[in-house]
């Protein structure tokens, strides 16, 4: 019978798998695997946990219906709750997390960048239920559904706040619902449309060279001379310009044309770059790094424009 070798092979494979399972189980119960939170997971364990986590969140958050997240009263609610419940672990614009948020593994990520990769329903789900095998707690038992959507609303707005604006919002005694920071700018697109229509990255590269920006900055694609200023690599991913302005096209142009208007003491000189030229330069700088952050910001602003009359008690 020629099925015998196949049978033997199958039994051998099954035995190996069984041994591995038993081995894995013994490894886990033996206490060899370090579960201390001040030591990161082994790479394969981390990969497995993360891949499974993303799929699980996507699947379970389907069918949720977000309310109008542009409602200022919802935003205000979210702001207060964020400061109380999230900032201690995740920090905020220009605000580091507190002692309790350190020494957790996986580390609480800065939400200004992490929230970009989730849609509104997925964020709602994460905040409601928390994440197993991590320090991320679920808030559904304590907070109402409106509260939870309020936090999602605030996460969408906070990515466009500068450290100074965040400080003003979180330290205000009482905020009026008409506070501009709690309202979405309906006619300000932060220069995205102009960048798309007129920004010429190729021209930008030439200008970076001719203005001598490389005498202080490392610029991707150009030989670099000295580093008196920060490297301009992965510029699209950066949340702030000079630590103080939200990194959006209009601010990049404003900074490049006249940095001293924002920081009189800055070592970056006014080089008399014209706004149209600065737009080309920004177009080039934004080709460096992942565009996820900018795409998410632009989508946010588009939704803000579309949602006309906000309503929610
Ligand atoms: C006790 C600390 C702690 C508190 C409080 C906390 N988180 Fe987290 N959070 C974490 C940790 C740790 C992770 C990382 C989990 C992981 O990577 O598996 C996390 C992850 C997340 C993620 C997923 C981020 C990503 O990388 O995909 C979101 C979104 C989030 N938290 C939102 C919030 C919000 C909103 C609040 C407040 C309502 C909050 N968290 C409060 C510790 C905390
Ligand atoms: C004499 C040196 C010098 C020159 C020349 C210079 N910069 Fe700067 N630049 C700096 C310094 C220093 C900073 C940091 C500013 C701060 O935080 O105060 C900076 C910051 C920046 C930033 C913000 C980067 C970040 O990560 O926050 C951008 C963008 C920038 N420069 C673009 C340019 C461009 C474009 C040119 C050429 C037109 C240029 N710089 C020429 C010194 C220079």
């Amino acid at each position: 019978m020629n099925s015998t070798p196949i049978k033997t092979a199958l039994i051998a494979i099954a035995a190996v798998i069984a041994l591995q399972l038993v081995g894995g189980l013994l490894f886990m119960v033996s206490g060899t695997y370090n579960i201390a939170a001040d030591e990161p997971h082994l790479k394969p364990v981390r990969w497995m946990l993360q891949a499974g986590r993303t799929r699980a969140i996507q699947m379970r958050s389907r069918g949720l219906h977000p309310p109008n997240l542009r409602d200022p009263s919802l935003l205000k609610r979210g702001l207060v709750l964020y400061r109380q419940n999230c900032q201690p672990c995740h920090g905020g614009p220009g605000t580091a997390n507190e002692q309790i948020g350190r020494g957790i593994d996986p580390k609480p990520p800065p939400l200004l960048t992490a929230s970009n990769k989730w849609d509104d329903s997925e964020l709602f789900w994460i905040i409601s239920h928390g994440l197993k095998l991590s320090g991320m707690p679920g808030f559904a038992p304590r907070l109402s559904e409106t509260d939870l959507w309020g936090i999602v609303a605030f996460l969408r707005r906070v990515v466009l706040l500068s450290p100074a604006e965040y400080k003003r919002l979180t330290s205000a005694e009482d905020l009026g619902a008409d506070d501009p920071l709690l309202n979405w700018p309906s006619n300000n697109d932060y220069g995205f449309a102009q960048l798309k229509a007129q920004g010429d990255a190729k021209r930008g590269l030439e200008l970076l060279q001719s203005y001598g920006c490389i005498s202080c900055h490392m610029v991707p694609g150009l030989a670099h001379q000295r580093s008196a200023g920060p490297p301009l690599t992965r510029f699209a991913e950066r949340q702030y310009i000079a630590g103080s302005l939200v990194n959006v096209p209009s601010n990049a142009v404003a900074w490049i044309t006249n940095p001293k208007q924002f920081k009189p003491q800055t070592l970056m000189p006014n080089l008399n770059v014209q706004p149209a030229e600065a737009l080309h330069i920004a177009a080039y700088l934004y080709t460096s790094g992942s565009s996820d952050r900018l795409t998410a910001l632009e989508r946010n602003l588009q939704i803000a424009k579309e949602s006309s009359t906000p309503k929610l008690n």
Side-chain angles (χ1 to χ4, degrees), residues 53 85-86 89-90 104 106-109 111 114 117-118 123 126-127 131 134-137 139 151 155:
R53 188 189 76 162
N85 298 291
C86 320
C89 281
H90 289 284
I104 301 181
K107 287 190 177 53
L111 290 183
K117 62 179 189 251
W118 303 108
L123 280 176
I126 295 173
I127 303 166
L131 297 168
S134 85
M136 172 63 196
F139 289 88
I151 296 171
L155 286 178

PDB file of all heavy atoms in Angstrom, residues 53 85-86 89-90 104 106-109 111 114 117-118 123 126-127 131 134-137 139 151 155, ligand 1:
ATOM      1  N   ARG A  53      -5.184  42.530  16.602  1.00  0.00           N
ATOM      2  CA  ARG A  53      -5.884  43.641  17.221  1.00  0.00           C
ATOM      3  C   ARG A  53      -6.563  44.523  16.170  1.00  0.00           C
ATOM      4  O   ARG A  53      -7.742  44.843  16.263  1.00  0.00           O
ATOM      5  CB  ARG A  53      -4.855  44.464  18.005  1.00  0.00           C
ATOM      6  CG  ARG A  53      -5.422  45.528  18.859  1.00  0.00           C
ATOM      7  CD  ARG A  53      -4.330  46.405  19.398  1.00  0.00           C
ATOM      8  NE  ARG A  53      -3.854  47.313  18.373  1.00  0.00           N
ATOM      9  CZ  ARG A  53      -3.160  48.418  18.621  1.00  0.00           C
ATOM     10  NH1 ARG A  53      -2.818  48.721  19.840  1.00  0.00           N
ATOM     11  NH2 ARG A  53      -2.781  49.190  17.648  1.00  0.00           N
ATOM     12  N   ASN A  85      -9.422  61.964  31.476  1.00  0.00           N
ATOM     13  CA  ASN A  85      -9.283  60.514  31.328  1.00  0.00           C
ATOM     14  C   ASN A  85      -8.153  60.043  30.436  1.00  0.00           C
ATOM     15  O   ASN A  85      -7.706  58.917  30.575  1.00  0.00           O
ATOM     16  CB  ASN A  85     -10.577  59.908  30.785  1.00  0.00           C
ATOM     17  CG  ASN A  85     -11.738  60.128  31.716  1.00  0.00           C
ATOM     18  OD1 ASN A  85     -11.782  59.555  32.794  1.00  0.00           O
ATOM     19  ND2 ASN A  85     -12.665  60.969  31.318  1.00  0.00           N
ATOM     20  N   CYS A  86      -7.744  60.847  29.508  1.00  0.00           N
ATOM     21  CA  CYS A  86      -6.800  60.362  28.503  1.00  0.00           C
ATOM     22  C   CYS A  86      -5.424  61.006  28.635  1.00  0.00           C
ATOM     23  O   CYS A  86      -4.402  60.352  28.481  1.00  0.00           O
ATOM     24  CB  CYS A  86      -7.326  60.617  27.092  1.00  0.00           C
ATOM     25  SG  CYS A  86      -9.095  60.314  26.914  1.00  0.00           S
ATOM     26  N   CYS A  89      -2.341  59.414  30.468  1.00  0.00           N
ATOM     27  CA  CYS A  89      -1.569  58.360  29.814  1.00  0.00           C
ATOM     28  C   CYS A  89      -1.043  58.785  28.449  1.00  0.00           C
ATOM     29  O   CYS A  89       0.049  58.412  28.063  1.00  0.00           O
ATOM     30  CB  CYS A  89      -2.411  57.096  29.627  1.00  0.00           C
ATOM     31  SG  CYS A  89      -2.543  56.111  31.128  1.00  0.00           S
ATOM     32  N   HIS A  90      -1.856  59.517  27.687  1.00  0.00           N
ATOM     33  CA  HIS A  90      -1.494  59.793  26.292  1.00  0.00           C
ATOM     34  C   HIS A  90      -0.882  61.171  26.076  1.00  0.00           C
ATOM     35  O   HIS A  90      -0.371  61.439  24.993  1.00  0.00           O
ATOM     36  CB  HIS A  90      -2.723  59.653  25.391  1.00  0.00           C
ATOM     37  CG  HIS A  90      -3.177  58.236  25.213  1.00  0.00           C
ATOM     38  ND1 HIS A  90      -2.523  57.348  24.389  1.00  0.00           N
ATOM     39  CD2 HIS A  90      -4.204  57.550  25.760  1.00  0.00           C
ATOM     40  CE1 HIS A  90      -3.144  56.184  24.423  1.00  0.00           C
ATOM     41  NE2 HIS A  90      -4.165  56.272  25.251  1.00  0.00           N
ATOM     42  N   ILE A 104       4.319  51.601  31.133  1.00  0.00           N
ATOM     43  CA  ILE A 104       3.298  50.688  30.622  1.00  0.00           C
ATOM     44  C   ILE A 104       3.824  50.133  29.304  1.00  0.00           C
ATOM     45  O   ILE A 104       4.386  50.870  28.506  1.00  0.00           O
ATOM     46  CB  ILE A 104       1.968  51.438  30.343  1.00  0.00           C
ATOM     47  CG1 ILE A 104       1.436  52.088  31.607  1.00  0.00           C
ATOM     48  CG2 ILE A 104       0.925  50.509  29.744  1.00  0.00           C
ATOM     49  CD1 ILE A 104       0.117  52.835  31.415  1.00  0.00           C
ATOM     50  N   PRO A 106       2.440  47.624  25.976  1.00  0.00           N
ATOM     51  CA  PRO A 106       2.934  48.655  25.064  1.00  0.00           C
ATOM     52  C   PRO A 106       2.671  50.061  25.596  1.00  0.00           C
ATOM     53  O   PRO A 106       1.720  50.285  26.326  1.00  0.00           O
ATOM     54  CB  PRO A 106       2.131  48.402  23.777  1.00  0.00           C
ATOM     55  CG  PRO A 106       0.961  47.585  24.174  1.00  0.00           C
ATOM     56  CD  PRO A 106       1.364  46.819  25.381  1.00  0.00           C
ATOM     57  N   LYS A 107       3.539  50.979  25.196  1.00  0.00           N
ATOM     58  CA  LYS A 107       3.434  52.366  25.666  1.00  0.00           C
ATOM     59  C   LYS A 107       2.163  53.012  25.132  1.00  0.00           C
ATOM     60  O   LYS A 107       1.768  52.749  24.011  1.00  0.00           O
ATOM     61  CB  LYS A 107       4.617  53.172  25.128  1.00  0.00           C
ATOM     62  CG  LYS A 107       5.924  52.865  25.801  1.00  0.00           C
ATOM     63  CD  LYS A 107       6.953  53.902  25.348  1.00  0.00           C
ATOM     64  CE  LYS A 107       8.274  53.689  26.059  1.00  0.00           C
ATOM     65  NZ  LYS A 107       8.768  52.318  25.931  1.00  0.00           N
ATOM     66  N   PRO A 108       1.519  53.890  25.923  1.00  0.00           N
ATOM     67  CA  PRO A 108       0.393  54.643  25.368  1.00  0.00           C
ATOM     68  C   PRO A 108       0.924  55.544  24.248  1.00  0.00           C
ATOM     69  O   PRO A 108       1.777  56.373  24.519  1.00  0.00           O
ATOM     70  CB  PRO A 108      -0.109  55.488  26.539  1.00  0.00           C
ATOM     71  CG  PRO A 108       0.582  54.960  27.762  1.00  0.00           C
ATOM     72  CD  PRO A 108       1.816  54.254  27.313  1.00  0.00           C
ATOM     73  N   PRO A 109       0.487  55.352  22.998  1.00  0.00           N
ATOM     74  CA  PRO A 109       1.051  56.152  21.920  1.00  0.00           C
ATOM     75  C   PRO A 109       0.526  57.579  21.948  1.00  0.00           C
ATOM     76  O   PRO A 109      -0.545  57.816  22.497  1.00  0.00           O
ATOM     77  CB  PRO A 109       0.548  55.442  20.659  1.00  0.00           C
ATOM     78  CG  PRO A 109      -0.706  54.774  21.074  1.00  0.00           C
ATOM     79  CD  PRO A 109      -0.541  54.422  22.525  1.00  0.00           C
ATOM     80  N   LEU A 111      -1.647  60.256  20.802  1.00  0.00           N
ATOM     81  CA  LEU A 111      -2.855  60.090  20.004  1.00  0.00           C
ATOM     82  C   LEU A 111      -2.931  61.041  18.824  1.00  0.00           C
ATOM     83  O   LEU A 111      -3.716  60.840  17.910  1.00  0.00           O
ATOM     84  CB  LEU A 111      -4.100  60.246  20.878  1.00  0.00           C
ATOM     85  CG  LEU A 111      -4.307  59.097  21.865  1.00  0.00           C
ATOM     86  CD1 LEU A 111      -5.599  59.285  22.632  1.00  0.00           C
ATOM     87  CD2 LEU A 111      -4.309  57.746  21.164  1.00  0.00           C
ATOM     88  N   ALA A 114      -1.531  58.643  16.375  1.00  0.00           N
ATOM     89  CA  ALA A 114      -2.165  57.319  16.349  1.00  0.00           C
ATOM     90  C   ALA A 114      -3.632  57.378  15.925  1.00  0.00           C
ATOM     91  O   ALA A 114      -4.128  56.453  15.277  1.00  0.00           O
ATOM     92  CB  ALA A 114      -2.038  56.653  17.709  1.00  0.00           C
ATOM     93  N   LYS A 117      -5.022  56.748  12.103  1.00  0.00           N
ATOM     94  CA  LYS A 117      -5.178  55.511  11.351  1.00  0.00           C
ATOM     95  C   LYS A 117      -6.510  54.812  11.618  1.00  0.00           C
ATOM     96  O   LYS A 117      -6.793  53.789  11.024  1.00  0.00           O
ATOM     97  CB  LYS A 117      -3.999  54.577  11.618  1.00  0.00           C
ATOM     98  CG  LYS A 117      -3.832  54.134  13.048  1.00  0.00           C
ATOM     99  CD  LYS A 117      -2.630  53.182  13.138  1.00  0.00           C
ATOM    100  CE  LYS A 117      -2.548  52.532  14.485  1.00  0.00           C
ATOM    101  NZ  LYS A 117      -1.442  53.005  15.304  1.00  0.00           N
ATOM    102  N   TRP A 118      -7.338  55.375  12.475  1.00  0.00           N
ATOM    103  CA  TRP A 118      -8.639  54.758  12.766  1.00  0.00           C
ATOM    104  C   TRP A 118      -9.769  55.667  12.286  1.00  0.00           C
ATOM    105  O   TRP A 118      -9.657  56.887  12.361  1.00  0.00           O
ATOM    106  CB  TRP A 118      -8.798  54.552  14.276  1.00  0.00           C
ATOM    107  CG  TRP A 118      -7.713  53.726  14.903  1.00  0.00           C
ATOM    108  CD1 TRP A 118      -6.726  54.183  15.715  1.00  0.00           C
ATOM    109  CD2 TRP A 118      -7.508  52.315  14.771  1.00  0.00           C
ATOM    110  NE1 TRP A 118      -5.908  53.151  16.099  1.00  0.00           N
ATOM    111  CE2 TRP A 118      -6.370  51.989  15.532  1.00  0.00           C
ATOM    112  CE3 TRP A 118      -8.171  51.300  14.076  1.00  0.00           C
ATOM    113  CZ2 TRP A 118      -5.876  50.690  15.624  1.00  0.00           C
ATOM    114  CZ3 TRP A 118      -7.690  50.004  14.175  1.00  0.00           C
ATOM    115  CH2 TRP A 118      -6.554  49.711  14.936  1.00  0.00           C
ATOM    116  N   LEU A 123     -12.467  54.335  16.524  1.00  0.00           N
ATOM    117  CA  LEU A 123     -12.015  55.049  17.728  1.00  0.00           C
ATOM    118  C   LEU A 123     -13.033  54.863  18.853  1.00  0.00           C
ATOM    119  O   LEU A 123     -12.672  54.588  20.003  1.00  0.00           O
ATOM    120  CB  LEU A 123     -11.852  56.541  17.439  1.00  0.00           C
ATOM    121  CG  LEU A 123     -10.570  56.963  16.722  1.00  0.00           C
ATOM    122  CD1 LEU A 123     -10.604  58.456  16.421  1.00  0.00           C
ATOM    123  CD2 LEU A 123      -9.338  56.627  17.553  1.00  0.00           C
ATOM    124  N   ILE A 126     -12.626  51.432  20.349  1.00  0.00           N
ATOM    125  CA  ILE A 126     -11.421  51.294  21.187  1.00  0.00           C
ATOM    126  C   ILE A 126     -11.641  51.960  22.546  1.00  0.00           C
ATOM    127  O   ILE A 126     -11.349  51.389  23.594  1.00  0.00           O
ATOM    128  CB  ILE A 126     -10.187  51.935  20.501  1.00  0.00           C
ATOM    129  CG1 ILE A 126      -9.836  51.185  19.217  1.00  0.00           C
ATOM    130  CG2 ILE A 126      -8.979  51.956  21.450  1.00  0.00           C
ATOM    131  CD1 ILE A 126      -8.732  51.851  18.392  1.00  0.00           C
ATOM    132  N   ILE A 127     -12.193  53.185  22.515  1.00  0.00           N
ATOM    133  CA  ILE A 127     -12.361  53.925  23.767  1.00  0.00           C
ATOM    134  C   ILE A 127     -13.428  53.239  24.640  1.00  0.00           C
ATOM    135  O   ILE A 127     -13.311  53.186  25.858  1.00  0.00           O
ATOM    136  CB  ILE A 127     -12.751  55.390  23.488  1.00  0.00           C
ATOM    137  CG1 ILE A 127     -11.691  56.047  22.591  1.00  0.00           C
ATOM    138  CG2 ILE A 127     -12.873  56.186  24.777  1.00  0.00           C
ATOM    139  CD1 ILE A 127     -12.151  57.359  21.986  1.00  0.00           C
ATOM    140  N   LEU A 131      -8.312  47.870  25.179  1.00  0.00           N
ATOM    141  CA  LEU A 131      -7.564  46.866  24.420  1.00  0.00           C
ATOM    142  C   LEU A 131      -6.962  45.851  25.380  1.00  0.00           C
ATOM    143  O   LEU A 131      -6.248  46.213  26.308  1.00  0.00           O
ATOM    144  CB  LEU A 131      -6.460  47.549  23.601  1.00  0.00           C
ATOM    145  CG  LEU A 131      -6.951  48.545  22.533  1.00  0.00           C
ATOM    146  CD1 LEU A 131      -5.799  49.376  21.991  1.00  0.00           C
ATOM    147  CD2 LEU A 131      -7.664  47.821  21.411  1.00  0.00           C
ATOM    148  N   SER A 134      -3.057  45.125  27.228  1.00  0.00           N
ATOM    149  CA  SER A 134      -2.356  46.402  27.211  1.00  0.00           C
ATOM    150  C   SER A 134      -2.987  47.240  28.308  1.00  0.00           C
ATOM    151  O   SER A 134      -4.008  46.872  28.868  1.00  0.00           O
ATOM    152  CB  SER A 134      -2.497  47.099  25.862  1.00  0.00           C
ATOM    153  OG  SER A 134      -3.689  47.842  25.819  1.00  0.00           O
ATOM    154  N   GLY A 135      -2.377  48.387  28.592  1.00  0.00           N
ATOM    155  CA  GLY A 135      -2.894  49.216  29.678  1.00  0.00           C
ATOM    156  C   GLY A 135      -4.068  50.081  29.260  1.00  0.00           C
ATOM    157  O   GLY A 135      -4.497  50.940  30.018  1.00  0.00           O
ATOM    158  N   MET A 136      -4.602  49.885  28.041  1.00  0.00           N
ATOM    159  CA  MET A 136      -5.674  50.752  27.563  1.00  0.00           C
ATOM    160  C   MET A 136      -7.018  50.301  28.133  1.00  0.00           C
ATOM    161  O   MET A 136      -7.534  49.255  27.785  1.00  0.00           O
ATOM    162  CB  MET A 136      -5.693  50.727  26.028  1.00  0.00           C
ATOM    163  CG  MET A 136      -6.878  51.440  25.400  1.00  0.00           C
ATOM    164  SD  MET A 136      -6.892  53.210  25.764  1.00  0.00           S
ATOM    165  CE  MET A 136      -8.581  53.631  25.349  1.00  0.00           C
ATOM    166  N   PRO A 137      -7.583  51.099  29.068  1.00  0.00           N
ATOM    167  CA  PRO A 137      -8.838  50.681  29.698  1.00  0.00           C
ATOM    168  C   PRO A 137     -10.052  50.955  28.811  1.00  0.00           C
ATOM    169  O   PRO A 137      -9.990  51.803  27.929  1.00  0.00           O
ATOM    170  CB  PRO A 137      -8.896  51.560  30.958  1.00  0.00           C
ATOM    171  CG  PRO A 137      -8.030  52.731  30.690  1.00  0.00           C
ATOM    172  CD  PRO A 137      -7.090  52.389  29.572  1.00  0.00           C
ATOM    173  N   PHE A 139     -13.849  52.485  28.538  1.00  0.00           N
ATOM    174  CA  PHE A 139     -14.550  53.531  29.286  1.00  0.00           C
ATOM    175  C   PHE A 139     -16.061  53.396  29.238  1.00  0.00           C
ATOM    176  O   PHE A 139     -16.778  54.163  29.876  1.00  0.00           O
ATOM    177  CB  PHE A 139     -14.126  54.909  28.775  1.00  0.00           C
ATOM    178  CG  PHE A 139     -12.715  55.267  29.154  1.00  0.00           C
ATOM    179  CD1 PHE A 139     -11.644  54.903  28.350  1.00  0.00           C
ATOM    180  CD2 PHE A 139     -12.451  55.930  30.348  1.00  0.00           C
ATOM    181  CE1 PHE A 139     -10.346  55.209  28.712  1.00  0.00           C
ATOM    182  CE2 PHE A 139     -11.151  56.245  30.715  1.00  0.00           C
ATOM    183  CZ  PHE A 139     -10.097  55.883  29.896  1.00  0.00           C
ATOM    184  N   ILE A 151     -15.543  62.354  22.985  1.00  0.00           N
ATOM    185  CA  ILE A 151     -14.094  62.149  22.983  1.00  0.00           C
ATOM    186  C   ILE A 151     -13.585  61.930  21.554  1.00  0.00           C
ATOM    187  O   ILE A 151     -12.563  62.481  21.155  1.00  0.00           O
ATOM    188  CB  ILE A 151     -13.702  60.971  23.903  1.00  0.00           C
ATOM    189  CG1 ILE A 151     -14.064  61.317  25.344  1.00  0.00           C
ATOM    190  CG2 ILE A 151     -12.220  60.666  23.786  1.00  0.00           C
ATOM    191  CD1 ILE A 151     -13.929  60.166  26.316  1.00  0.00           C
ATOM    192  N   LEU A 155     -10.874  64.167  19.587  1.00  0.00           N
ATOM    193  CA  LEU A 155      -9.662  63.610  18.970  1.00  0.00           C
ATOM    194  C   LEU A 155      -9.490  64.126  17.540  1.00  0.00           C
ATOM    195  O   LEU A 155      -8.373  64.310  17.061  1.00  0.00           O
ATOM    196  CB  LEU A 155      -9.721  62.078  18.946  1.00  0.00           C
ATOM    197  CG  LEU A 155      -9.496  61.368  20.275  1.00  0.00           C
ATOM    198  CD1 LEU A 155      -9.640  59.863  20.101  1.00  0.00           C
ATOM    199  CD2 LEU A 155      -8.126  61.700  20.841  1.00  0.00           C
TER     200      LEU A 155
HETATM  201  C1  LIG B   1      -3.903  53.826  31.945  1.00  0.00           C
HETATM  202  C2  LIG B   1      -3.401  54.405  30.739  1.00  0.00           C
HETATM  203  C3  LIG B   1      -4.361  54.766  29.619  1.00  0.00           C
HETATM  204  C4  LIG B   1      -5.467  55.585  29.696  1.00  0.00           C
HETATM  205  C5  LIG B   1      -6.042  56.280  30.918  1.00  0.00           C
HETATM  206  C6  LIG B   1      -5.964  55.697  28.338  1.00  0.00           C
HETATM  207  N1  LIG B   1      -5.197  54.937  27.489  1.00  0.00           N
HETATM  208 FE1  LIG B   1      -5.474  54.729  25.477  1.00  0.00          FE
HETATM  209  N2  LIG B   1      -3.937  53.408  25.401  1.00  0.00           N
HETATM  210  C7  LIG B   1      -3.140  53.054  26.460  1.00  0.00           C
HETATM  211  C8  LIG B   1      -2.139  52.106  25.995  1.00  0.00           C
HETATM  212  C9  LIG B   1      -1.100  51.443  26.862  1.00  0.00           C
HETATM  213  C10 LIG B   1      -2.366  51.916  24.629  1.00  0.00           C
HETATM  214  C11 LIG B   1      -1.537  51.042  23.673  1.00  0.00           C
HETATM  215  C12 LIG B   1      -2.249  49.758  23.426  1.00  0.00           C
HETATM  216  C13 LIG B   1      -1.545  48.909  22.406  1.00  0.00           C
HETATM  217  O1  LIG B   1      -0.653  49.385  21.685  1.00  0.00           O
HETATM  218  O2  LIG B   1      -1.917  47.739  22.339  1.00  0.00           O
HETATM  219  C14 LIG B   1      -3.496  52.753  24.276  1.00  0.00           C
HETATM  220  C15 LIG B   1      -4.028  52.825  23.008  1.00  0.00           C
HETATM  221  C16 LIG B   1      -5.033  53.688  22.627  1.00  0.00           C
HETATM  222  C17 LIG B   1      -5.533  53.831  21.273  1.00  0.00           C
HETATM  223  C18 LIG B   1      -5.038  53.053  20.048  1.00  0.00           C
HETATM  224  C19 LIG B   1      -3.840  53.757  19.530  1.00  0.00           C
HETATM  225  C20 LIG B   1      -3.125  53.060  18.402  1.00  0.00           C
HETATM  226  O3  LIG B   1      -1.889  53.071  18.377  1.00  0.00           O
HETATM  227  O4  LIG B   1      -3.759  52.533  17.520  1.00  0.00           O
HETATM  228  C21 LIG B   1      -6.472  54.814  21.301  1.00  0.00           C
HETATM  229  C22 LIG B   1      -7.262  55.353  20.122  1.00  0.00           C
HETATM  230  C23 LIG B   1      -6.592  55.254  22.681  1.00  0.00           C
HETATM  231  N3  LIG B   1      -5.702  54.545  23.455  1.00  0.00           N
HETATM  232  C24 LIG B   1      -7.439  56.246  23.113  1.00  0.00           C
HETATM  233  C25 LIG B   1      -7.597  56.621  24.448  1.00  0.00           C
HETATM  234  C26 LIG B   1      -8.548  57.621  24.894  1.00  0.00           C
HETATM  235  C27 LIG B   1      -9.401  58.469  23.961  1.00  0.00           C
HETATM  236  C28 LIG B   1      -8.466  57.662  26.245  1.00  0.00           C
HETATM  237  C29 LIG B   1      -9.319  58.485  27.204  1.00  0.00           C
HETATM  238  C30 LIG B   1     -10.746  58.290  27.120  1.00  0.00           C
HETATM  239  C31 LIG B   1      -7.440  56.703  26.652  1.00  0.00           C
HETATM  240  N4  LIG B   1      -6.937  56.110  25.526  1.00  0.00           N
HETATM  241  C32 LIG B   1      -7.043  56.481  27.956  1.00  0.00           C
HETATM  242  C33 LIG B   1      -3.242  53.509  27.753  1.00  0.00           C
HETATM  243  C34 LIG B   1      -4.218  54.350  28.237  1.00  0.00           C
END
